[in-house]
Amino acid sequence: QVSLVSKDSSMLDGLQDGTIEISEAKAQLHDIIISSKVANGGDPAGFPWMVDGADVSTNAAQLLTDLAELTKEITSQVKRLSDDENEEVATDSDSPNHPYDQAKALWRTEIDMDRIAAGLPCGSESFLLMFARWKKLERDLYNERKKRFDTTQIPDIYDSCKYDLLHNSHLNLNGLHDLFKVSQLLADGVIPNEYGINPKQKLKIGSKIARRLLGKILIDLHNTRREITEVAAESSTRHDPIVVSSTKRKERCYHDSVRNENFEGSSTDEKSVDLDSHKETKYCLDPKYANVLDPERRVRTRLYFTSESHIHSLMNVLRYCYLDESLNGEESLICKNASDHLFKTKELDYMSYIVLRMFENTEVPLEDPKRFRIEMTYSRGADISCLESATNTDYFLPDDHTMQIMEPEQLQEVGSYLTLDKFDKMTRPFAMPAEDFPPATPQCLAVRFCEDIESQGARRQH
């Protein structure tokens, strides 16, 4: 399976394409937070997410002041712990069993309970590094000389709070939970609006950031449909006399085609001109090593590991693509109930994911649009309810320092039918054209992997 993994850092290039729009959105969001006034005061009945700066608290300015004060308080406490640690290091410097061996702690796969019992920070972080982390957040949040807040630091403070509540609750930092609640209230307004303060702006920014990812998804869907269609057409012309279920017949014919394939991949000389003609190498598990029932089955699953910005951007395209002028009159891909829930969800946390599944109805003709349908689900990722329930006197936190992952939820009404053609029509205007992709190679991106280095908090919690 390792041979099916490819790392493509260009999947993150969209951030540069949307720099101007993102900067404008953040500047507008800053003004809304400082003034505590929603840009467009009207609240469309039943569609609260259509308001500029939706989710921003009406007392955001006061919360921002509270955030700065609480951050200073936490930084001050960690500074005292850091000073005490330095004194201990000075007195115990000759000890061969000094508890602060970061080289040994760096690659631990389990929580070092001895460190926690000794009152030290979890993991390999020292009090000095912990102090540096909080001091930077304090300094970046508010510029004393310019008397100006930097509201883009709110998510980073929120991440640091979550990290320390989960991993360093044993340090009993006074006010940490208060800081968590304040930063969460502010982050609930900042995070959904960082990539656009209204739906049309979210769509514009999302299409620039996620266009390469969305283009690859459409290519994968079309390649799968083309392959299945070709196999089904070939099967119908052979008039196979053996009566088997349509699913089994499809799989058997598919296996026949796989056996005749060149395992090294197809030629790379052809240049794609559109999504429909973009062909990639057909991947199979190596039968010599695959310990599965049908080792010659085609690998159709695609996993894209990408950044938080791309998760938000892809979701925004799915939510608001119907607002584009070229799709005038089309209904949203996301149902009203799911839109309501997404509005209340606020953030897509660590390990959040979006799943697109394509189903084939073999009971209808190949040319029927209903032959292939798309089902969309998502999960907001880590369940932070354990952090929200914690108090300064009673931490209800798991001993293994982990959080559960939220179950997937539907983005469509139960029983609805979203055809592949409809999905393609709605999302294609926001996807990178296939001719902009590099030619297919034997190492074509069956699975994409991109590192998320967006924030200190994300890196630590990863």
Side-chain angles (χ1 to χ4, degrees), residues 191-262:
I191 294 174
N193 291 292
E194 279 189 312
Y195 307 103
I197 65 168
N198 57 53
K200 288 192 174 182
Q201 195 176 52
K202 291 183 194 318
L203 177 60
K204 184 176 182 180
I205 293 175
S207 63
K208 291 194 172 187
I209 293 178
R211 68 192 189 100
R212 187 181 182 88
L213 171 62
L214 185 56
K216 183 59 171 64
I217 290 173
L218 289 177
I219 287 172
D220 289 338
L221 290 171
H222 282 286
N223 281 337
T224 299
R225 177 170 67 175
R226 181 187 300 108
E227 172 208 332
I228 293 175
T229 301
E230 290 174 353
V231 170
E234 179 183 352
S235 175
S236 63
T237 59
R238 289 192 297 198
H239 304 290
D240 196 334
I242 301 177
V243 179
V244 295
S245 70
S246 57
T247 301
K248 292 297 182 181
R249 182 168 60 250
K250 178 182 64 178
E251 289 182 354
R252 188 189 62 201
C253 294
Y254 160 72
H255 289 159
D256 291 341
S257 67
V258 168
R259 290 191 182 93
N260 294 327
E261 286 178 6
N262 181 353

Side-chain angles (χ1 to χ4, degrees), residues 360-372 417:
E360 179 187 18
N361 181 2
T362 57
E363 302 301 321
V364 300
L366 283 173
E367 63 276 7
D368 193 317
K370 291 187 176 182
R371 177 85 177 198
F372 298 94
Y417 206 97

Side-chain angles (χ1 to χ4, degrees), residues 413-426:
E413 293 286 1
V414 177
S416 63
Y417 206 97
L418 173 62
T419 65
L420 175 59
D421 290 343
K422 172 70 177 294
F423 181 83
D424 179 271
K425 176 184 178 181
M426 298 288 285

Side-chain angles (χ1 to χ4, degrees), residues 171-194:
L171 299 179
N172 297 319
L173 298 174
N174 293 327
L176 180 60
H177 193 264
D178 291 335
L179 178 58
F180 168 75
K181 290 189 291 186
V182 171
S183 63
Q184 185 181 42
L185 287 172
L186 287 168
D188 284 348
V190 170
I191 294 174
N193 291 292
E194 279 189 312

Side-chain angles (χ1 to χ4, degrees), residues 94-111:
D94 295 332
S95 173
N97 297 318
H98 189 264
Y100 232 43
D101 192 342
Q102 290 194 38
K104 291 182 178 179
L106 190 59
W107 299 109
R108 285 185 181 272
T109 57
E110 297 180 356
I111 299 298

Side-chain angles (χ1 to χ4, degrees), residues 337-349:
N337 289 338
S339 294
D340 288 337
H341 194 88
L342 282 169
F343 177 69
K344 297 174 183 177
T345 296
K346 313 298 183 186
E347 66 175 314
L348 297 175
D349 215 313

Side-chain angles (χ1 to χ4, degrees), residues 108-373:
R108 285 185 181 272
T109 57
E110 297 180 356
I111 299 298
D112 188 343
M113 301 308 296
D114 291 337
R115 280 182 57 84
I116 293 176
L120 296 172
C122 181
S124 61
E125 189 177 42
S126 66
F127 279 121
L128 184 60
L129 289 176
M130 188 176 180
F131 167 67
R133 166 164 59 94
W134 278 104
K135 186 62 180 178
K136 184 179 187 303
L137 291 172
E138 175 194 324
R139 184 175 59 250
D140 292 348
L141 176 63
Y142 183 69
N143 188 312
E144 294 281 357
R145 184 174 60 85
K146 296 181 179 180
K147 306 296 181 184
R148 178 180 174 82
F149 285 101
D150 182 358
T151 54
T152 63
Q153 298 300 314
I154 291 173
D156 289 340
I157 294 177
Y158 179 47
D159 282 346
S160 245
C161 284
K162 287 192 290 187
Y163 176 84
D164 283 331
L165 276 176
L166 182 63
H167 299 298
N168 290 320
S169 60
H170 60 285
L171 299 179
N172 297 319
L173 298 174
N174 293 327
L176 180 60
H177 193 264
D178 291 335
L179 178 58
F180 168 75
K181 290 189 291 186
V182 171
S183 63
Q184 185 181 42
L185 287 172
L186 287 168
D188 284 348
V190 170
I191 294 174
N193 291 292
E194 279 189 312
Y195 307 103
I197 65 168
N198 57 53
K200 288 192 174 182
Q201 195 176 52
K202 291 183 194 318
L203 177 60
K204 184 176 182 180
I205 293 175
S207 63
K208 291 194 172 187
I209 293 178
R211 68 192 189 100
R212 187 181 182 88
L213 171 62
L214 185 56
K216 183 59 171 64
I217 290 173
L218 289 177
I219 287 172
D220 289 338
L221 290 171
H222 282 286
N223 281 337
T224 299
R225 177 170 67 175
R226 181 187 300 108
E227 172 208 332
I228 293 175
T229 301
E230 290 174 353
V231 170
E234 179 183 352
S235 175
S236 63
T237 59
R238 289 192 297 198
H239 304 290
D240 196 334
I242 301 177
V243 179
V244 295
S245 70
S246 57
T247 301
K248 292 297 182 181
R249 182 168 60 250
K250 178 182 64 178
E251 289 182 354
R252 188 189 62 201
C253 294
Y254 160 72
H255 289 159
D256 291 341
S257 67
V258 168
R259 290 191 182 93
N260 294 327
E261 286 178 6
N262 181 353
F263 193 78
E264 295 300 320
S266 57
S267 171
T268 62
D269 296 333
E270 297 182 4
K271 181 173 178 61
S272 303
V273 294
D274 57 34
L275 292 175
D276 295 322
S277 63
H278 187 95
K279 295 183 179 180
E280 69 170 344
T281 303
K282 294 181 179 181
Y283 278 99
C284 298
L285 297 174
D286 190 333
K288 293 183 297 182
Y289 302 101
N291 186 23
V292 293
L293 185 61
D294 294 314
E296 293 179 327
R297 279 190 77 160
R298 170 77 183 281
V299 178
R300 293 198 178 108
T301 300
R302 298 293 185 268
L303 305 177
Y304 306 88
F305 294 86
T306 184
S307 66
E308 179 186 2
S309 60
H310 283 67
I311 290 286
H312 279 283
S313 298
L314 179 59
M315 182 63 81
N316 283 339
V317 170
L318 296 178
R319 291 175 72 181
Y320 303 121
C321 59
Y322 74 99
L323 296 175
D324 190 72
E325 293 180 357
S326 65
L327 299 172
N328 186 34
E330 294 286 351
E331 295 182 358
S332 174
L333 292 176
I334 310 297
C335 68
K336 177 64 165 52
N337 289 338
S339 294
D340 288 337
H341 194 88
L342 282 169
F343 177 69
K344 297 174 183 177
T345 296
K346 313 298 183 186
E347 66 175 314
L348 297 175
D349 215 313
Y350 303 102
M351 297 301 296
S352 58
Y353 58 85
I354 301 171
V355 179
L356 303 176
R357 303 174 69 195
M358 182 165 73
F359 293 85
E360 179 187 18
N361 181 2
T362 57
E363 302 301 321
V364 300
L366 283 173
E367 63 276 7
D368 193 317
K370 291 187 176 182
R371 177 85 177 198
F372 298 94
R373 69 176 179 88

